[in-house]
Amino acid sequence: MSTEATVIGGGVIGLTCALELARAGHDVTVLTADPIAETTSAVAAAIWFPYEAAPADAVLRWSTESAAAFVGLAADSSAGVALRTGTVLERSTAPDRWWTPAVPGHRVIPGEELSSGVTSGVRCTVPVIDMGSYLPWLARRCEATGVRVIRRRVDDLAEVTGELIVVAAGLRSAALTGDAPLIPLRGQVVRVANPGLTDWLIDDDNPAGMTYVVPRFEDVVCGGTAEPGSFDTAVDPETERAILERCYDLVPELRGAPILSRGVGLRPTRPSVRLEALPGARRIICCYGHGGAGVTLSWGCAREVAALAGRA
């Protein structure tokens, strides 16, 4: 007899948890307040990079496992995953490279080979995930494994049936579990037509504001912002102008590229990712607070959730 499991949240964490639970033999339902295409996950630039997530040891473990999963998915043309080479720019004389053990073959390059004001950089190849393709692919995999996805907002866990509940509802997760509130970390992006770029750039310490350029297939995601505590999901034109100027400075080939779309996402942030089973009569597993690294940690965290749940 399979265990009846309910996953609350239809973003990348919730769907990946649902898929891993179904593969372990559970009877899984996903309850999502928003359409999958309108979740915070849909806005993500979704380059593999453990941004704003802790603790370091667990994040390194989860992100390493996720990287291996995405490398495997790059062979599936329908998944929207590509392996791209790029550079993390560093502006400190003592950069923190705690994440590099997860990236085989990375190399450090001197600042004189890079932009003005950059002291060094890390050159590496990582997965880049086009969420417009990947989220539908993930939803199809869930459906093929027997997962049901239902549009329904949950305000109280007492409303939810099932022997096992996984709370993966992004910013709303803490209210469901009685945890300290999650803090939104507002991110704004603009997507432009790809003029033929394949290399990505990440410049988190840019003095003018965090900047990243992530070429996917037909577009390039230009970002960004990291505004703690802001719940504003409206696109700000002045912020967009500043983002584009920073990106043009780093990658002049982007200047003049047509704007295709734009978006804002609220990254669910807490001092550390919460992935644990709660004590009590009901089996409840928390999996939230991934900050800006939900996609990057998704497979590793989902497999840990499945391990906590056990086989049906």
Side-chain angles (χ1 to χ4, degrees), residues 227-305:
E227 302 169 56
S230 174
F231 285 88
D232 185 4
T233 57
V235 172
D236 180 69
E238 182 57 28
T239 299
E240 179 177 298
R241 184 202 62 75
I243 288 170
L244 288 173
E245 284 303 320
R246 296 197 302 273
C247 291
Y248 296 157
D249 286 344
L250 287 176
V251 186
E253 299 95 315
L254 288 173
R255 195 175 293 275
I259 293 175
L260 302 178
S261 63
R262 42 183 60 91
V264 172
L266 305 180
R267 309 173 182 99
T269 306
R270 72 193 299 274
S272 64
V273 175
R274 191 179 194 193
L275 202 170
E276 62 179 342
L278 298 183
R282 297 192 77 184
R283 297 178 66 200
I284 299 172
I285 298 175
C286 300
C287 187
Y288 58 80
H290 297 81
V295 177
T296 299
L297 304 180
S298 56
W299 286 102
C301 286
R303 289 170 183 172
E304 188 159 324
V305 166

Side-chain angles (χ1 to χ4, degrees), residues 92-271:
S92 167
T93 55
D96 186 358
R97 299 180 182 137
W98 66 273
W99 55 274
T100 55
V103 187
H106 69 273
R107 63 187 180 91
V108 177
I109 51 180
E112 54 264 27
E113 296 181 18
L114 300 166
S115 307
S116 173
V118 174
T119 57
S120 55
V122 177
R123 184 90 171 146
C124 53
T125 300
V126 300
V128 172
I129 299 94
D130 185 333
M131 297 305 281
S133 298
Y134 182 68
L135 282 176
W137 176 90
L138 192 54
R140 290 194 302 271
R141 288 298 176 275
C142 284
E143 182 181 6
T145 317
V147 175
R148 296 169 297 280
V149 179
I150 298 172
R151 281 284 309 283
R152 177 183 158 195
R153 178 186 172 97
V154 176
D155 293 310
D156 189 328
L157 293 185
E159 305 169 4
V160 181
T161 60
E163 303 163 75
L164 171 67
I165 298 173
V166 177
V167 180
L171 278 174
R172 297 184 55 252
S173 299
L176 294 172
T177 63
D179 193 9
L182 292 167
I183 296 173
L185 190 65
R186 182 183 182 275
Q188 181 169 326
V189 300
V190 55
R191 307 174 192 95
V192 303
N194 192 341
L197 301 178
T198 57
D199 276 25
W200 51 266
L201 281 174
I202 294 175
D203 188 8
D204 281 347
D205 296 325
N206 189 313
M210 72 172 295
T211 307
Y212 49 85
V213 174
V214 182
R216 300 193 296 189
F217 294 93
E218 303 301 322
D219 66 3
V220 179
V221 181
C222 298
T225 62
E227 302 169 56
S230 174
F231 285 88
D232 185 4
T233 57
V235 172
D236 180 69
E238 182 57 28
T239 299
E240 179 177 298
R241 184 202 62 75
I243 288 170
L244 288 173
E245 284 303 320
R246 296 197 302 273
C247 291
Y248 296 157
D249 286 344
L250 287 176
V251 186
E253 299 95 315
L254 288 173
R255 195 175 293 275
I259 293 175
L260 302 178
S261 63
R262 42 183 60 91
V264 172
L266 305 180
R267 309 173 182 99
T269 306
R270 72 193 299 274

Side-chain angles (χ1 to χ4, degrees), residues 47-87:
I47 182 171
W48 180 99
F49 191 72
Y51 174 72
E52 287 294 326
D57 56 346
V59 166
L60 191 61
R61 182 176 74 253
W62 295 325
S63 60
T64 299
E65 189 164 359
S66 297
F70 284 122
V71 167
L73 290 176
D76 182 346
S77 60
S78 66
V81 180
L83 302 181
R84 303 274 199 221
T85 301
T87 307

